[in-house]
Each structure stands twice: as structure tokens, then as C-alpha cells.
Amino acid sequence: MAVDYTVIVVYLVGMLAMGWWGMRRAKSKSEFLVAGRRLGPAMYSGTMAAIVLGGASTIGGVGLGYKYGLSGAWMVFTIGLGLLALSVFFSARIARLKVYTVSEMLDLRYGGRAGVISGVVMWAYTLMLAVTSTIAYATIFDVLFDMNRTLAIVLGGSIVVAYSTLGGMWSITLTDMVQFVVKTIGVLLLLLPIAVVKAGGFSEMKAKLPTSYFDPLGIGGETIFTYVLIYTFGMLIGQDIWQRVFTARDDRTAKWGGTVAGTYCLVYAVAGAVIGTAAKVLYPKLSSPDDAFATIVKDELPIGVRGLVLAAALAAVMSTSSGALIACATVANNDIWSRLRGLVRPGDEEHDEVKGNRVFILIMGLAVIGTAIALNNVVEALTVAYNLLVGGLLVPILGGLLWKRGTVQGALASVIVGGLAVIGLMAGYGILANEPVYYGLLASLAAYIVVSLATKPTDERVLAVWRDRLAGQSPELPSEPVPAHQ
């Protein structure tokens, strides 16, 4: 294992080195939070693919393949579909807004007063997303070093917090590019073909497994629909994803770079399901499907290759964890803390805000590590995160982009009613039930339409500023948002 250990240690040291390098570039709020909005197509595509394909997509995707066969690809596949939809239909407009957070977009569209409440919902989502990624370190470091769960979470989490705090989005962008390359080599080019060969090829896999393992819809129509609702729509509105869109240097990069990343996700989804199916042939009686990835890596790969593939899994977890962490800190600082104190208006570019954002990443990072140590169930934490996001924010965000008649009162009602409905329904039906997100989303939509139609239309001056920003004609926000009631 010495060679494998060396590969992992070199990888981790490289992550910290890139954090230090990124610190030298992050001299302003724009540089620190959105990499100066300067990423070209190659870096944008790589980093976008890296953030959406995390531990759940890698370890969890293989686990679903182990349990359901090829149809286990649907979870990651719907993530790719969401990224494609975001890139083709919305990313160019989002990038032209020149904001930092989803809540700033809501304030710009509706004329203020929506930011804090929507910020709290988005903060809860990004926090839980970062927590679920951090918990995954325990699985990887257990395979590598037979390490205690708490120590593994602290070690992996501390490295991510360190390079994210040092250089912000520049550090995360650089590390994500490395992580994208490592994942591509480790999972697609090495683990996938080796797993298939070890399982005897596709003909042997078909002979040993039930036919349901090769049915594209074997996982069930309701499950696929739920994945679309949660993950595809979740990709459209998550702060972690939008913050990457904000890094694109122009509309074309946001659209086509994201399209390439979404297509990559579709390939990655199929690869994970095939690897899991091969693992089912090799190890038909594993105690948990999520053990499939670690088991096949540990037992079937040669020395050195094993270290690289485990580094790929670590890369998948770190990319999502760091992206969720900076999103969580950005929302906590810009949308909640600063707004409550009345210190910052949307569009501020003060250089001394770098220090404040750096402090918030550190604080949120410590909170994430502590929460990850306290929680055990990754699936439940991730379900809570996406249910809150989709149930509370999908309607007011897409409504603001697509429906002129939507008002700030309708948006606030939608966030509050949808969020409370999801929480209440999860308490009643159970966290993992499908009903909370179904009914919560319907309640959010009903509240948005009814309250918007019952209140005065959004001030035309607000909509004029909004249209100018969508068209890329106004680089800065007005010094004061126009109140919606004027």
C-alpha cells in the first residue's frame, strides 16, 4: 500500500499548494467569490463537472448500479440533465446579471425584501450539501488507512477548509480542474474497463445477473420522476451551481461550457452504473450497496492504480464539498449577516470584503465538520437539503425568470409556504418519502400564483432595471433597490 499512500499524500499536498497559490490572486470580492468572472470554456467545463459530480455521484452512483443495475444511472443522469437545461436555457441570462448569490437575483427581480428569507433557505441547503460531502471522507479514509470516522472527517474537512479559506474561488477552481482530470482518469479510463474485464465482460454479466439489471427503467418510474424533480430542478437553482455560472467570462462560455459539462455527467452516470453492475457479479452479497465502490477498488485494482482511483473518489468528494462550502459562506455573509446589519448592498465590490468572506468560510467550515461528525445518515441529510431547496425556492426563482406578473409578496409567500410545507410533510411522511417534495412544490406554486395575482404588479422601474441586466446593458446594480411597493 506504500505506493497508494504516496499517491494520496501527493494529491492532498497539491490541493493545499493550490490553495496558497489562489490566495495570491484573490485580491477583491469578485476574485475571491467568482474568480473574477474570467473563466474560459476549458476551465469552466472542468470545474462545473467537478462540483456536480461528488461523492454521492461516485460512491452512491456505483452503489445504485450494484443494487439496480444499469438503471442505477438515473440519479446521476438527472443531475446531468439539469446541468444541460441550466446551460442551454438559463445560464447566459444568469451570467449577465453580475450578482453573487441567488438571493441577490431575487432582490433584483422583485425589488428587494426577498433576500434574507430566501438566503436562510439557501444557506440550509448549502450547509447540508457540504455536510454530506464531508461525511463521505470517512468511507474513503477507512479504505485507505483504516482510520477512525471522526478523524477521517476532521482530516478531509480541514484540507478543504484550508484551501477554500486561503484562495476562495480561485483555489477551488484550480483544485477542481485537477480533481476533474483525476476523476476522468481514475473512474472512466481505469476503474470502468478493469471492473468489466474482472467481471468477465458484458456477456458474463448478463448470464449471472437477472434481466432487470439490464432494464433501463428497472429502478422504477416513480423513482426516476422523483430524481428529476429533486436533482434536475435542483441543478437549476442551487447557489453552489449558480456561483460557478457567475465565474464564466461571457455568455457563450456559460452556455457551451456548461453543455459540455452536462454531457460529461451523462457519461459518468452510465460508467458508475456499469461499475456497480460488475461489482454485483464479483461480490453478490455485500452488506451495503455503498460498499461496492470501496470493495472493488480495494480487491481488484493493482498497486498504484488503486491509489489513483481512491484519489479520484477523494477528488469527487472534495470538489463538491469545497463548492458547497464557499456557497454556504457566501450566502451566510452576503445574504444574511450583511443584510441584517445593513452593511452591504448588492453589487458592492469593496476589496476589504475579502477578509470578511474568508472569515465566513472558516466559520462555516468548522460548522460543517462539527455537523458531519454528529450525523450518520448521508441520504437523509441530502434529502432534507434538496427538499428544502426545491420546495422553497424553485417556484420564485423560475417564476422570476419566466413570469412577469410575479411579485415580491408572491415570492415571499412561495418561499415560506413551500419551505414550511416540506418540513411539516417530512415530519409526517418521513424524511425519505416522496410526498414532501411533491406536495411542498405544489403548495409553493399555489402560494406564488395566488398572492402575486392578489397584489400590485412589480414596479415598472424595477422590471426595467431587471430587463437591462438580463440584456447585459447595465454592469452595476442601482445604489438602492427600488421598493416594490412604490
Side-chain angles (χ1 to χ4, degrees), residues 26-371:
K27 301 299 184 183
S28 70
K29 179 180 178 181
S30 176
E31 295 282 352
F32 191 82
L33 294 182
V34 291
R37 309 187 195 274
R38 290 192 286 163
L39 297 192
M43 291 193 74
Y44 180 85
S45 298
T47 58
M48 183 62 87
I51 188 177
V52 299
L53 296 174
S57 299
T58 304
I59 299 170
V62 171
L64 287 171
Y66 183 88
K67 187 174 182 179
Y68 297 106
L70 298 185
S71 66
W74 273 106
M75 183 187 78
V76 184
F77 202 83
T78 56
I79 290 174
L81 292 177
L83 186 52
L84 284 171
L86 174 70
S87 301
V88 172
F89 299 112
F90 299 109
S91 62
R93 286 189 284 174
I94 292 170
R96 285 196 292 266
L97 292 174
K98 302 296 183 186
V99 295
Y100 292 103
T101 68
V102 174
S103 294
E104 286 183 13
M105 167 264 170
L106 291 173
D107 275 354
L108 182 64
R109 164 60 181 82
Y110 294 110
R113 305 192 315 186
V116 174
I117 294 177
S118 61
V120 170
V121 176
M122 189 63 78
W123 173 80
Y125 157 72
T126 53
L127 178 73
M128 296 308 294
L129 185 62
V131 165
T132 58
S133 299
T134 304
I135 291 173
Y137 295 129
T139 301
I140 299 169
F141 281 110
D142 178 57
V143 175
L144 282 170
F145 308 115
D146 194 23
M147 187 179 290
N148 172 269
R149 177 183 183 275
T150 298
L151 183 59
I153 289 172
V154 171
L155 176 60
S158 297
I159 292 170
V160 169
V161 172
Y163 73 69
S164 300
T165 302
L166 285 173
M169 187 60 82
W170 268 122
S171 294
I172 293 170
T173 296
L174 294 170
T175 53
D176 277 358
M177 277 306 297
V178 174
Q179 290 158 357
F180 171 74
V181 172
V182 170
K183 277 193 288 193
T184 301
I185 296 173
V187 175
L188 296 185
L189 302 183
L190 292 176
L191 182 57
L192 174 61
I194 290 173
V196 172
V197 170
K198 291 282 187 177
F202 284 104
S203 58
E204 187 70 14
M205 290 162 63
K206 287 184 176 181
K208 290 187 175 181
L209 294 174
T211 55
S212 63
Y213 267 70
F214 301 91
D215 179 0
L217 303 178
I219 199 169
E222 184 178 353
T223 299
I224 295 171
F225 177 74
T226 302
Y227 284 158
V228 170
L229 199 60
I230 294 177
Y231 297 115
T232 300
F233 286 118
M235 286 294 106
L236 297 179
I237 58 174
Q239 170 68 24
D240 52 325
I241 308 301
W242 277 41
Q243 201 156 341
R244 293 308 172 96
V245 175
F246 300 151
T247 65
R249 72 184 180 197
D250 53 38
D251 298 355
R252 185 177 178 83
T253 297
K255 182 175 181 178
W256 296 111
T259 301
V260 170
T263 304
Y264 179 91
C265 292
L266 303 183
V267 174
Y268 200 89
V270 175
V274 171
I275 293 167
T277 304
K280 183 67 175 180
V281 173
L282 296 168
Y283 312 99
K285 296 184 179 180
L286 290 178
S287 59
S288 170
D290 285 341
D291 292 337
F293 180 88
T295 303
I296 197 169
V297 169
K298 194 172 184 179
D299 294 350
E300 302 297 335
L301 300 186
I303 294 172
V305 172
R306 179 170 49 199
L308 183 60
V309 173
L310 287 172
L314 196 58
V317 175
M318 283 187 162
S319 56
T320 299
S321 181
S322 60
L325 176 58
I326 193 172
C328 179
T330 303
V331 170
N333 188 13
N334 290 17
D335 292 341
I336 302 175
W337 178 248
S338 295
R339 289 167 185 261
L340 289 176
R341 296 179 67 198
L343 292 179
V344 179
R345 293 189 298 268
D348 249 338
E349 295 285 348
E350 293 297 323
H351 288 201
D352 60 7
E353 280 200 45
V354 171
K355 181 178 179 181
N357 282 295
R358 190 171 275 140
V359 169
F360 264 87
I361 289 180
L362 180 59
I363 293 171
M364 290 299 106
L366 295 175
V368 165
I369 292 172
T371 307

Side-chain angles (χ1 to χ4, degrees), residues 413-462:
S414 178
V415 173
I416 295 170
V417 171
L420 291 177
V422 164
I423 293 171
L425 290 164
M426 283 192 293
Y429 284 98
I431 290 176
L432 298 180
N434 293 329
E435 287 84 357
V437 71
Y438 293 169
Y439 299 142
L441 190 56
L442 289 174
S444 178
L445 178 61
Y448 182 70
I449 294 173
V450 171
V451 175
S452 290
L453 292 176
T455 51
K456 187 177 179 180
T458 304
D459 190 280
E460 185 56 37
R461 288 174 296 170
V462 173

